[in-house]
Amino acid sequence: MQARNSSRRSFVKLLAATPLLTQIAARNLYAQAASAVGRDPRQNVYTRLGVKTVINCRGTWTYLSGSLELPEVRAAKQEAAKHFVDIFELQRAAGKRLAELSGAESGMVASGAAGAIASATAACMAGTDPAKIWQLPDTTGLKNEVIMSEGRSAFDSAVRLTGAKLVVTRSLEELEAAIGPSTAMIYTTDLGDKLQRTVAIAKKANVPLLLDDAAGIPPIENLRLYARMGVDLYCFSGGKGLCGPQCSGLLLGRRDLIEAALANTSPWEGAVCRAMKVGKEEVMGCLAAVEAWTKMDLAALNRVWEQRVKRIATLVETVPGVTTGIQIPETGNRYPTLTVNWDESAWNFTVADCDRELRAGEPRIEVLTASNPSLVPAVSGRDPKKLRQNRLQIISMTMQPGEELVVGRRLREILSAARKNARA
């Protein structure tokens, strides 16, 4: 009876997947025909250079080139590229517009969230004093301690390169006790109630607080949320969920601190963050991304993205023993995310094995697992309790329309073969 019920469930799942399997077959025939007449859709500026393009199911990771720019961003960059402009004047005008959109006192476009962190740190140590700006990264005589709430991270090099000294804390009690006469800034990635408590501690001690929420957009409401909470400085990546230029980021907050951040950053010659150059195209592209997001319907987008991963789930669940689940994470890439499960021990086939096969195939498919190919191997201090379980997950937002069929087919083939080998 159990075997009969299992067969019935498998038949029902296969029946549900039939329309998708038909679409896959039709696409394969079209691709073969196009290739036969010399119109291979896989040929592009990258493949002609010998570089494979990627189906990105991992999310907005920098090593996978972040996200794809919005049409509004590409148009703004194209227009910006046609003219010369004074970057000092442009940053101040962009900052004024960002203030209107966010409710913060001011803002600037930085060279990514890490660039924003570096500029913010330099601002909190040197201010707008030309002598101190030129002195960095030598911090002799300056407030030079940055308290890292909740420990170190792989991105604290953006703090250290300015000459700042890290003071590591792992609780709000330790944070409050660590504040002293040399404290220049508090750095945090905490959100929600814990962020509000951290804000209160920083305000009481009169120490600037920097919130790093690199992947915090969407939702675009976070642009205003942190201003309302009274966060002194906060930053986002421009090339992640914002879908702006990959080499851009946003730094928003108090007017005096933004002025200091600009004074310590390119195009100022002699500033410690001069190397973190932001071009006119990045400034206008990032601003265009923010403007575009204020008009978007995130709920509608989530429904579209969810349909993509649902199609993949329908295909892979035709493999007996495979189960799936879909949810939107509370942090990181906050998009409908598919988790694919199977009995790794019984199949003698792990998540890492599947990840390797997806990456090695044609086209290359990147999925989210516990691995981090872009982490410097020497980075230490990671809390074992915080290491994520090695699961195979698929992020919907970074897939392009139709790619879910390619991913579902490949994953179905790989898992079918793994199950078959296990039973042999």
Side-chain angles (χ1 to χ4, degrees):
M1 179 65 71
Q2 186 175 355
R4 186 181 303 168
N5 288 338
S6 177
S7 298
R8 185 181 296 114
R9 284 194 298 269
S10 297
F11 175 76
V12 170
K13 289 180 178 180
L14 186 60
L15 194 64
T18 298
L20 297 175
L21 294 170
T22 302
Q23 287 184 52
I24 289 170
R27 285 165 60 95
N28 289 344
L29 286 173
Y30 173 79
Q32 291 169 11
S35 182
V37 296
R39 296 180 181 175
D40 190 342
R42 294 172 297 180
Q43 290 299 312
N44 56 55
V45 65
Y46 296 110
T47 56
R48 288 193 290 273
L49 195 62
V51 176
K52 282 186 175 183
T53 54
V54 173
I55 292 181
N56 182 5
C57 306
R58 188 181 179 97
T60 55
W61 287 63
T62 297
Y63 87 95
L64 291 176
S65 61
S67 57
L68 299 182
E69 293 177 346
L70 296 170
E72 295 90 338
V73 173
R74 296 196 296 270
K77 289 174 63 179
Q78 282 289 97
E79 186 176 354
K82 296 176 182 178
H83 308 279
F84 290 100
V85 68
D86 184 321
I87 298 296
F88 292 117
E89 184 181 351
L90 177 60
Q91 279 281 26
R92 283 186 167 79
K96 181 179 179 182
R97 180 59 180 145
L98 287 169
E100 293 170 353
L101 292 166
S102 67
E105 291 182 6
S106 189
M108 63 179 278
V109 178
S111 60
I117 293 168
S119 294
T121 306
C124 292
M125 291 192 298
T128 56
D129 185 327
K132 293 177 180 178
I133 292 169
W134 174 232
Q135 179 183 324
L136 294 181
D138 175 6
T139 60
T140 303
L142 306 179
K143 289 185 177 183
N144 68 346
E145 293 182 354
V146 173
I147 299 176
M148 305 295 293
S149 176
E150 296 298 315
R152 294 191 59 183
S153 80
F155 303 100
D156 64 33
S157 56
V159 173
R160 291 182 287 121
L161 63 82
T162 64
K165 175 185 175 183
L166 303 184
V167 177
V168 178
T169 63
R170 299 190 180 279
S171 69
L172 292 180
E173 291 73 23
E174 287 185 13
L175 166 63
E176 193 164 17
I179 297 173
S182 295
T183 304
M185 187 181 83
I186 298 169
Y187 169 96
T188 188
T189 58
D190 287 328
L191 302 174
D193 179 64
K194 197 166 186 180
L195 172 60
Q196 190 65 71
R197 292 158 63 196
T198 305
V199 169
I201 291 171
K203 296 292 184 190
K204 180 181 177 182
N206 197 29
V207 174
L209 172 68
L210 170 65
L211 167 65
D212 174 8
D213 193 15
I217 299 175
I220 193 63
E221 287 76 20
N222 283 343
L223 202 68
R224 287 187 168 273
L225 172 64
Y226 304 137
R228 290 198 303 269
M229 292 178 69
V231 180
D232 299 295
L233 289 166
Y234 55 100
C235 64
F236 304 102
S237 171
K240 295 187 186 297
L242 192 60
C243 296
Q246 170 63 5
C247 301
S248 72
L250 292 172
L251 180 64
L252 301 121
R254 281 170 33 189
R255 183 176 293 105
D256 62 322
L257 293 177
I258 295 296
E259 284 297 315
L262 287 168
N264 282 272
T265 307
S266 179
W268 284 106
E269 298 174 16
V272 71
C273 296
R274 160 72 182 192
M276 300 167 195
K277 187 176 290 184
V278 181
K280 57 188 182 294
E281 297 83 4
E282 283 75 34
V283 174
M284 295 310 300
C286 198
L287 187 57
V290 174
E291 297 266 13
W293 268 105
T294 62
K295 303 167 188 173
M296 289 188 193
D297 183 345
L298 181 57
L301 287 171
N302 275 330
R303 287 193 292 272
V304 172
W305 293 333
E306 185 174 19
Q307 283 303 312
R308 290 180 189 169
V309 287
K310 278 186 174 179
R311 292 187 189 107
I312 296 173
T314 298
L315 288 166
V316 298
E317 284 191 353
T318 61
V319 181
V322 174
T323 60
T324 65
I326 298 173
Q327 63 177 1
I328 299 179
E330 294 181 0
T331 59
N333 285 265
R334 301 163 191 168
Y335 321 108
T337 299
L338 174 70
T339 302
V340 182
N341 308 292
W342 66 91
D343 192 329
E344 296 177 66
S345 298
W347 291 19
N348 193 28
F349 188 73
T350 66
V351 165
D353 293 330
C354 190
D355 186 22
R356 279 191 295 272
E357 290 199 27
L358 287 166
R359 188 178 292 128
E362 181 62 45
R364 174 178 165 183
I365 297 173
E366 290 278 350
V367 295
L368 181 61
T369 68
S371 69
N372 183 353
S374 58
L375 184 69
V376 174
V379 173
S380 59
R382 302 181 73 190
D383 185 348
K385 295 179 181 178
K386 293 184 178 180
L387 294 179
R388 68 189 305 274
Q389 178 186 352
N390 198 19
R391 300 178 296 173
L392 191 151
Q393 294 186 304
I394 293 173
I395 310 297
S396 57
M397 177 266 198
T398 44
M399 285 190 292
Q400 298 186 68
E403 288 184 338
E404 69 273 16
L405 297 179
V406 180
V407 175
R409 182 199 68 190
R410 277 275 297 285
L411 195 51
R412 179 175 181 263
E413 290 172 350
I414 290 170
L415 293 176
S416 293
R419 179 178 179 273
K420 182 179 179 181
N421 291 337
R423 294 165 63 91

